[in-house]
Amino acid sequence: MTRHFFRSALAATALAALALPAQAADTQAILKTYADIALAGYEDSLTTAKALDEAVKALVASPSDATLKAAREAWLAARPPYQQTEAFRFGNAIVDDWEGRVNAWPLDEGLIDYVDASYGTESDENKFYTVNVIANAKIANGGETIDATTITPDVLRQLQEVGGIEANVATGYHAIEFLLWGQDLNGTGPGAGNRPASDYDTKNCTNGHCDRRAQYLTSAADLLVSDLEEMVGNWKDDGAARKELTADPQKGISAILTGLGSLSYGELAGERMKLGLMLHDPEEEHDCFSDNTFNSHFYDVKGIDNVYHGSYTRLDGSKVEGASLAAYVRETDAGVADEMEAKLKATMDAATAMKKRGETVEAYDQMIGEGNADGNAAVQAVIDGLVAQTRSLERVIAALNAGDVTIEGSDSLDNPGAVFK
C-alpha cells in the first residue's frame, strides 16, 4: 500500500460545552436505537466473517481457481456490513481502540509476503518493510525475537503494528485481502491483484512457502472472527460499549455527532478520498488489492445515513430502527433538519453514482487517475457532498447545544500544501 499516508489530528470543529435540552428520555431512546444498530451491524459483520473463514479453509484444503474465487467473493460480501459500522468509530473509544485490529489501512505488504521488485527493498520509515513473515520463521524486534515458526493468531497479534509502525498491518480485512488477491500492479489501468490459487497448493507451490501462507491466511480469518465476536459482545445489553454510551445522555449524543462528523470529514472525505485524488495515486485506495474501493466508500456513506436516521437494514432484509437523531433535530429546528436531510441525500446520490460507475465503467483507482476528468468528477462529487454535510452537521450540533464535539480534520482538506511536502 501507500507510502504517502498523512493523518491530521487537528480538530476541524470544537464547539463550546453546553447542556443538551432536558429530554433525557428522548435521548436515551435515540441512544438505544444507535446501540441496537451497532449490535446488528457487528452481528452481520460476524456472520459474513464466519462465511469468509469457511471459504478460506476450503481454499487451503483444496486450492483451485474455483475455491479462490469463492474466498474472494466471501471477502467482498463481508465488506458492506462492516463498512456500515464505521459510523460508530471516533465517538466511541472502545470501538476506535479496537478498529485497528480489523480494518487498519494502509499496509506495507512486504511485512506479510513476497512483493514485486518495484516495491523496493527497504524503507527509511519501516525496518520491517520487507520482512516477509511467510518466508521467515524468526522476526527480530527491538532486541527480541518473534517466533513465527508456526503462524498462529497469537503471532499475528504480536506482528500487528510491530515496531510501533501503523503501516505494519498484520491482521484484519486488508491483510486477508492481500493474501487473496496479491498486489495490484496495474496502476490506473484495469485489473485488481492476480494472486494464483497455486500460492496455496503445497503439491504444486508457486512463490514458495505455500504451507506457511495457508497458516497465515487461516489464522488471520480466525482472528477476524474472534475480534468481531468481541465487538458484538461490547454492544449487547450488558456490553461495555453500550454501557459507556448510555451512561450520560449528553455525552452519548455528543459521541454520535463526533462519529458522524469525523467519518464524514477527516476520515472519508479527507484521508480516504481527497488525498488519493490530489495525488492521482492508485495506492491511495482503501480496498486496493481487490478494486472494491467504490463499494467501501459507498457503504461508509450509507452507515452515516443509517445512524442519522436510526435505521439499518440487516443481511436478511429485516430492519432495526427506532427513535432517531433525525427526528430529534426536526423537533428542535425544522430548518436545520431540512438542510441536513438535503445534504445527506446529495451525498448519497453522489455515492450511488460513484458506485454505479465502479460497477459499469471503471474501478476506483482508474477514477482517481490523472487526466480522467469524468472519473475525478465522480469522486470529487462525493467529497463535496461529505464536506457540505459536515458543515450542516455543525449547525445540527449548535441547534442541539451539544457539547464536547470535535470533528477530526485532514491535511488534504485543511492544509493541502502539506501533502506535497
Side-chain angles (χ1 to χ4, degrees):
M1 278 299 296
T2 179
R3 259 59 65 187
H4 306 288
F5 182 62
F6 299 86
R7 181 178 297 277
S8 171
L10 295 176
T13 302
L15 299 177
L18 300 172
L20 283 169
Q23 300 181 30
D26 291 342
T27 54
Q28 283 287 12
I30 293 167
L31 297 177
K32 181 181 185 305
T33 301
Y34 175 87
D36 289 346
I37 291 173
L39 174 61
Y42 287 116
E43 285 177 339
D44 284 350
S45 299
L46 175 59
T47 295
T48 55
K50 287 179 176 178
L52 171 59
D53 194 30
E54 291 301 314
V56 159
K57 287 179 170 59
L59 166 63
V60 168
S62 182
S64 69
D65 289 346
T67 54
L68 177 59
K69 182 175 184 288
R72 288 173 174 176
E73 289 175 347
W75 187 91
L76 292 170
R79 294 300 280 163
Y82 180 78
Q83 288 304 113
Q84 289 177 79
T85 68
E86 290 220 287
F88 301 101
R89 291 182 56 196
F90 304 105
N92 297 292
I94 288 173
V95 176
D96 221 25
D97 290 346
W98 165 93
E99 183 272 344
R101 297 190 223 159
V102 298
N103 201 41
W105 169 90
L107 62 83
D108 282 345
E109 54 263 46
L111 170 75
I112 298 173
D113 200 1
Y114 70 89
V115 289
D116 186 75
S118 61
Y119 181 85
T121 59
E122 61 184 4
S123 165
D124 292 338
E125 292 81 26
N126 185 4
K127 65 180 180 180
F128 301 93
Y129 188 65
T130 53
V131 157
N132 190 348
V133 173
I134 285 171
N136 294 284
K138 304 290 183 181
I139 310 300
N141 176 30
E144 298 181 359
T145 299
I146 297 173
D147 184 355
T149 303
T150 302
I151 303 175
T152 65
D154 181 62
V155 168
L156 298 190
R157 281 265 192 257
Q158 294 178 63
L159 290 167
Q160 178 70 2
E161 296 191 3
V162 65
I165 300 166
E166 288 186 356
N168 287 332
V169 177
T171 67
Y173 288 102
H174 296 296
I176 295 169
E177 180 191 12
F178 170 56
L179 287 167
L180 291 177
W181 273 272
Q183 289 177 287
D184 181 354
L185 301 172
N186 300 295
T188 56
N194 194 30
R195 183 186 293 278
S198 52
D199 270 8
Y200 294 96
D201 189 342
T202 55
K203 295 179 180 178
N204 299 286
C205 182
T206 51
N207 298 301
H209 312 288
C210 287
D211 55 337
R212 289 177 58 78
R213 191 170 294 111
Q215 288 176 11
Y216 197 121
L217 179 59
T218 54
S219 292
D222 288 345
L223 201 52
L224 179 63
V225 169
S226 64
D227 283 335
L228 286 165
E229 286 174 337
E230 177 185 328
M231 190 50 62
V232 167
N234 277 322
W235 288 101
K236 288 185 179 294
D237 286 348
D238 60 347
R242 186 183 288 257
K243 286 182 177 179
E244 184 174 292
L245 176 83
T246 57
D248 182 324
Q250 177 179 333
K251 290 182 179 179
I253 295 297
S254 295
I256 296 176
L257 294 165
T258 296
L260 293 180
S262 295
L263 178 57
S264 292
Y265 190 76
E267 184 71 12
L268 187 54
E271 300 298 332
R272 296 191 188 178
M273 299 189 74
K274 187 62 177 180
L275 180 59
L277 186 58
M278 290 173 68
L279 299 174
H280 302 295
D281 186 351
E283 292 289 295
E284 292 288 352
E285 55 162 341
H286 195 54
D287 293 1
C288 71
F289 309 115
S290 60
D291 274 354
N292 183 59
T293 303
F294 61 88
N295 274 319
S296 178
H297 292 345
F298 172 83
Y299 285 106
D300 267 330
V301 173
K302 185 70 174 72
I304 293 166
D305 194 77
N306 293 343
V307 167
Y308 186 78
H309 289 107
S311 180
Y312 168 66
T313 301
R314 301 201 62 167
L315 292 172
D316 63 5
S318 64
K319 285 194 173 184
V320 177
E321 54 191 352
S324 69
L325 186 61
Y328 188 31
V329 175
R330 185 156 298 282
E331 290 173 2
T332 306
D333 190 322
V336 170
D338 287 342
E339 177 187 333
M340 189 68 198
E341 293 285 355
K343 297 297 174 59
L344 286 168
K345 183 180 184 304
T347 307
M348 183 57 68
D349 287 347
T352 300
M354 181 186 64
K355 184 176 188 296
K356 183 177 179 180
R357 185 177 183 88
E359 293 167 342
T360 61
V361 179
E362 61 193 1
Y364 187 83
D365 50 5
Q366 294 173 266
M367 289 186 214
I368 64 173
E370 189 171 8
N372 183 354
D374 290 345
N376 285 191
V379 173
Q380 186 63 52
V382 182
I383 296 169
D384 290 344
L386 289 164
V387 171
Q389 77 182 33
T390 306
R391 300 287 84 88
S392 294
L393 187 67
E394 290 170 349
R395 285 184 273 281
V396 166
I397 293 166
L400 296 180
N401 289 333
D404 296 327
V405 177
T406 299
I407 297 175
E408 286 199 5
S410 165
D411 280 348
S412 56
L413 295 174
D414 303 323
N415 187 20
V419 171
F420 297 99
K421 289 181 180 178

